Amino acid sequence: KVPQASLHLQLAKEELETAKGLAAKGEKEQAVSMLSRAEADSELAVVLSHEDSEKSEAMAAMERVRQLRKDNQ
């Protein structure tokens, strides 16, 4: 639903796979760094998706208020 959230989720998945490959090659430091990036991207994806739902809820609430005002005029 949220393009930016989807993008960061995809990045996190790719970074996780890269980290697994690096770990398998014994490149521990690079793997840890990639895991940190994956974690950051996944957290950002969650935040962005929550923001969008909150915005939608806020807009729906504003619309209900407008409708109530209109009905009571």
Side-chain angles (χ1 to χ4, degrees):
K1 286 183 176 182
V2 183
Q4 287 296 321
S6 296
L7 171 66
H8 287 284
L9 181 57
Q10 183 61 38
L11 286 172
K13 289 177 181 179
E14 291 171 5
E15 291 160 351
L16 181 59
E17 288 304 312
T18 301
K20 286 179 184 179
L22 290 167
K25 292 179 187 177
E27 298 177 21
K28 203 174 213 180
E29 287 183 36
Q30 292 88 347
V32 169
S33 176
M34 193 58 63
L35 283 174
S36 294
R37 290 175 62 180
E39 182 179 26
D41 277 317
S42 63
E43 288 174 355
L44 185 54
V46 169
V47 168
L48 290 171
S49 63
H50 285 168
E51 259 184 31
D52 188 66
S53 66
E54 290 171 0
K55 286 178 189 175
S56 295
E57 288 178 25
M59 290 175 67
M62 285 191 305
E63 187 57 38
R64 288 192 302 269
V65 168
R66 288 181 184 141
Q67 189 62 45
L68 283 171
R69 282 186 183 162
K70 186 178 178 182
D71 292 344
N72 290 318
Q73 285 182 346

